[in-house]
Each structure stands twice: as structure tokens, then as C-alpha cells.
């Protein structure tokens, strides 16, 4: 059914490019994201299943799309892959439970209860995250910071950013790559420091 | 051998890493959907190389994560001014033209019977003068309501501005 949807999308007129067409074009990067989350090779059967599932969900819920398509579809792909990991973990836990005595397995009951405080803390967590991002953005040089803001918040492409900032295309690509990496490393270090 | 590419493509030296694999910069551009700026031979390599396509996934997740974190920020935290939309001059002109066309029959009617307009002006003037006297009358109810109403409106607007205005937080180094 998915392939039928894809081929229908691909047979559509040349312009403008529809959401199903754009979604189909994202297949390679969706597969890479799923493979990365699952820590499997891109040609693994689970990766292919998750990729199909992510694209199916994206096509079915395209009416919910608010904002740029790419991060939205990749977010769905990540979600599907994480669901698969959780399903695998549950399966492993069930298998393990079958092998241990009944009284020992009942001690895990508390672990399985949902944490009711999660929703209440969400806003505080978001504010804390924003404060951390603000702090580390202040440590980035102006170029990478501007490039990241223009790409992620304004949705500009590399070429448009280069024109806007008056720098060569390669500089923008370097700023985006290094800025993002620096941001990830700083956030990771910050979280490690906070956990201590 | 020259590594110089057309301006719309990334240079070779930025696209290749050691071991014949694509560089982080090329992989990030591919993960961001900037395929048109990546030379075709680099894209062809990434399509067939398991290592590179795995790294594209990593780069895409990193991009997703960075985008989500930046989206948490308030507009006041931004260094670069957001892209401003141009004033829709054409839409405004068309809107005014439609409004004028809609009002045209009424205006023509009013011009056809200038006597009625002449009679209405003194009545409206007398009404406005009476309202002014009532409002400015010291100790009058209407004046008090106006003064207190204006004060409450100002306080309400001030509270609204305080709540809506973005707060600039000090960044501790």
C-alpha cells in the first residue's frame, strides 16, 4: 500500500512538490536515522520496517504538519525507532521473567508503574533546558550561532544564509556543522555535570 | 588539480575526509536536505557506503536535536534578527480599492441630497457638546466613570505589557 502511495505521489505533476512526494524523497535519510537509533545496519530488516512505518505515519498524519516537513518526518522516524527499542526491551524482560521465580519478578512492579510527576515537571524542565541552551549559545562565536539560528528558526537554506551573512557557502556549511557539534558537546557536558 | 567548484557547490576539500569517506560537513549538508550543494560524486558515495549513510543518520539526529533545543528559546534570546516579511502593499491597495467601491453608493447618495447632510451636522454638533458638558461637569457621574475607567484601562494595559514582554535573563559566565 505504501509503495502504491509513493508511486502515486511520484506520478503527480512536476510542480509544486506535494507533501507525499517530499516525504518519499526523505526515505534515505529516514532510513539512516532509524539505523542510527536502532544501532543496526541500514539494510537490516527492522530498519526497513521502521522506515516504512515512519513514512506511513507521516503520510497518514500530514494534516497535523505545522512547520517544516523534514524535522517533522525525522522526529516521527526517531519516535518509531525508539518504540521498536522499547518493544525489544519489553520482549527481553518478558523472556527474562519467564526464567526467574515468581516472587522475584513481583519486585519489579514499582518500576513498571507510570511516573505521575512527569507531566507536572515538563514546564520546569523546558525552562531549565532553555536556560542551558542560552548559556551555551553565548559561548559560541557569532558566525556559527547566527547560522544555526537562521537555519533552524527561520528555515533558511545554506545558500540563503550565505547571502544573508555575506560569506561563502563553504563557511556556512562549516559553521552549521561545527556549531551544532559544539552545542551537542556542551549540552552533554552540562548534563553530565548536572547528574553528578 | 584544482579543488575549486562553482559557487553553488561545496569545494572538494570540504567534502572528503580521510579514508575516502565523506566529510562531516558534506554529511551534515546531506542530513539537512541541502543535496543541491553537495557534488554528485560525494552523494553517490554516501548512497552506497554503509559507514557514511550511518553517519548521515547521526548528523540528522544531531540536527533534529539542535532544532528542538533552539526552538525552546524565546525570540529575545536571538542574536540575528528574524527574517522580516515584506509589507503586502498590493493587498493593502486592493483592500482599499474594494472598501472605496463598497462605500461609493453611500457617498453618491449623500452628495445627491446635500440638504439632509446640512441638517444632520448641527444635530450631531449639539449632541457632542451635551456629551462634553456631562463628562466635564465636576462631580458628575459620567465624568467619574470616565476618569476611573481610563485609570483601570491604563493599569490593565500596563499589567498586560509586563506579562507579555519577553524577559532578558542575565547570562552567568
Amino acid at each position: 500500500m505504501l509503495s502504491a502511495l509513493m508511486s502515486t505521489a511520484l506520478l503527480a505533476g512536476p510542480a509544486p512538490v506535494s507533501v507525499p512526494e517530499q516525504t518519499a524523497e526523505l526515505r534515505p535519510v529516514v532510513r539512516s536515522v532509524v539505523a542510527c537509533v536502532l544501532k543496526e545496519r541500514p539494510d537490516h530488516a527492522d530498519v526497513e520496517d521502521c522506515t516504512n512505518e515512519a513514512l506511513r505515519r507521516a503520510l497518514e498524519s500530514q494534516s497535523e504538519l505545522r512547520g517544516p516537513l523534514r524535522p517533522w518526518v525525522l522526529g516521527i522516524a526517531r519516535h518509531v525507532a525508539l518504540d521498536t527499542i522499547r518493544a525489544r526491551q519489553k520482549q527481553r524482560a518478558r523472556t527474562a521473567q519467564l526464567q526467574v521465580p515468581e516472587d522475584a519478578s513481583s519486585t519489579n512492579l514499582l518500576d513498571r508503574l507510570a511516573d505521575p510527576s512527569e507531566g507536572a515537571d515538563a514546564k520546569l524542565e523546558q525552562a531549565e533546558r532553555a536556560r542551558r541552551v542560552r548559556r551555551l549559545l553565548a559561548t559560541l562565536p557569532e558566525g556559527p550561532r547566527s547560522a544555526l539560528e537562521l537555519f533552524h528558526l527561520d528555515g533558511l537554506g545554506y545558500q540563503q544564509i550565505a547571502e544573508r551573512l555575506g560569506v561563502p557557502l563553504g563557511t556556512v556549511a562549516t559553521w552549521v556543522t561545527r556549531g551544532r557539534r559544539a552545542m551537542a558537546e556542551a549540552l552533554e557536558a552540562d548534563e553530565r555535570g548536572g547528574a553528578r | 588539480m584544482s579543488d575549486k567548484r562553482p559557487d553553488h557547490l561545496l569545494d572538494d576539500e570540504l567534502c572528503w575526509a580521510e579514508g575516502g569517506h565523506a566529510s562531516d560537513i558534506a554529511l551534515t549538508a546531506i542530513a539537512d536536505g541541502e543535496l543541491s550543494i553537495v557534488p554528485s560524486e560525494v552523494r553517490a558515495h554516501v548512497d552506497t557506503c554503509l559507514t557514511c549513510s550511518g553517519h548521515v543518520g547521526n548528523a540528522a539526529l544531531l540536527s533534529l536535536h539542535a532544532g528542538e533545543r533552539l526552538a525552546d528559546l524565546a525570540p529575545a534570546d536571538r542574536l540575528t534578527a528574524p527574517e522580516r516579511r515584506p509589507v503586502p502593499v498590493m493587498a493593502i491597495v486592493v483592500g482599499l480599492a474594494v472598501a472605496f467601491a463598497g462605500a461609493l453608493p453611500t457617498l453618491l447618495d449623500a452628495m445627491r441630497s446635500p440638504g439632509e447632510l446640512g441638517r444632520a451636522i448641527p444635530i450631531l454638533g449639539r449632541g457632542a457638546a451635551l456629551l462634553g458638558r456631562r463628562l466635564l461637569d465636576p462631580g458628575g457621574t459620567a465624568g467619574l466613570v470616565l476618569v476611573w475607567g481610563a485609570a483601570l484601562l491604563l493599569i490593565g494595559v500596563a499589567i498586560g505589557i509586563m506579562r507579555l514582554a519577553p524577559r532578558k535573563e542575565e547570562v552567568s559566565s
Side-chain angles (χ1 to χ4, degrees):
Chain A
M1 183 195 160
L2 185 73
S3 56
L5 278 170
M6 299 292 176
S7 49
T8 310
L10 289 169
L11 286 171
V17 184
S18 64
V19 172
E21 278 177 301
Q22 290 179 49
T23 309
E25 281 169 10
L26 290 175
R27 176 174 274 276
V29 75
V30 166
R31 188 188 292 118
S32 296
V33 164
V34 170
C36 189
V37 175
L38 293 183
K39 295 187 173 69
E40 300 283 4
R41 288 163 57 99
D43 53 1
H44 192 276
D46 283 355
V47 173
E48 195 56 32
D49 287 349
C50 284
T51 303
N52 288 338
E53 174 63 12
L55 293 174
R56 187 189 64 77
R57 283 193 201 178
L59 286 172
E60 277 184 1
S61 53
Q62 58 178 284
S63 58
E64 294 166 21
L65 172 64
R66 308 277 181 275
L69 178 75
R70 174 172 280 261
W72 182 69
V73 174
L74 294 185
I76 292 174
R78 181 180 57 183
H79 192 81
V80 169
L82 288 173
D83 277 351
T84 303
I85 290 177
R86 280 187 213 110
R88 282 177 178 177
Q89 283 169 345
K90 273 186 193 161
Q91 183 61 44
R92 270 202 295 271
R94 253 185 250 127
T95 314
Q97 269 180 355
L98 287 174
Q99 290 165 356
V100 296
E102 201 180 316
D103 56 337
S105 65
S106 63
T107 57
N108 293 334
L109 184 65
L110 276 177
D111 293 341
R112 278 182 271 146
L113 287 172
D115 180 7
S117 64
E118 199 178 306
D121 290 343
K123 276 198 163 183
L124 274 176
E125 269 177 33
Q126 191 189 347
E128 175 58 29
R129 271 204 312 266
R131 196 161 50 240
R132 259 189 246 153
V133 174
R134 225 169 10 239
R135 204 166 51 217
L136 79 88
L137 272 183
T139 65
L140 285 183
E142 190 181 330
R145 179 180 163 150
S146 302
L148 287 177
E149 284 179 351
L150 291 170
F151 181 81
H152 287 293
L153 301 180
D154 288 342
L156 299 188
Y158 285 20
Q159 195 78 55
Q160 290 167 299
I161 298 172
E163 283 161 18
R164 174 97 186 262
L165 299 179
V167 293
L169 185 63
T171 307
V172 172
T174 311
W175 278 348
V176 169
T177 306
R178 294 196 184 145
R180 210 176 268 163
R181 192 162 293 278
M183 208 176 136
E185 282 168 4
L187 275 174
E188 203 179 318
D190 202 40
E191 275 161 21
R192 270 205 309 270
R196 240 180 257 149
Chain B
M1 187 185 108
S2 169
D3 284 339
K4 217 67 192 138
R5 292 266 187 182
D7 281 350
H8 67 277
L9 282 178
L10 292 175
D11 288 342
D12 273 350
E13 57 187 26
L14 288 176
C15 288
W16 295 106
E18 281 174 21
H21 291 295
S23 69
D24 278 354
I25 291 169
L27 294 169
T28 302
I30 291 171
D32 281 340
E34 298 283 337
L35 299 176
S36 60
I37 67 164
V38 181
S40 54
E41 55 267 33
V42 182
R43 277 187 281 144
H45 169 80
V46 173
D47 284 344
T48 53
C49 172
L50 283 180
T51 309
C52 287
S53 74
H55 287 159
V56 167
N58 224 337
L61 281 173
L62 198 62
S63 172
L64 195 61
H65 190 69
E68 287 167 352
R69 290 290 161 271
L70 285 169
D72 286 339
L73 290 177
D77 294 317
R78 296 193 54 180
L79 182 79
T80 44
E83 191 84 336
R84 277 194 190 169
R85 290 184 185 183
V87 179
V89 179
M90 199 57 202
I92 291 171
V93 169
V94 170
L96 286 173
V98 169
F100 181 73
L104 206 55
T106 317
L107 286 172
L108 288 174
D109 267 358
M111 283 165 77
R112 256 185 238 124
S113 50
E116 267 183 40
L117 195 66
R119 278 194 296 278
I121 288 171
I123 295 170
L124 284 173
R126 278 200 296 276
L130 183 66
L131 185 67
R133 272 202 303 278
R134 283 279 169 86
L135 292 176
L136 297 173
D137 182 22
T141 319
L144 277 174
V145 168
L146 182 74
V147 170
W148 282 99
L152 285 173
L153 184 68
L154 277 174
I155 291 169
V157 169
I159 290 171
I161 289 172
M162 279 170 63
R163 290 181 70 90
L164 291 175
R167 275 168 236 172
K168 189 84 182 168
E169 203 165 301
E170 286 291 315
V171 178
S172 54
S173 54

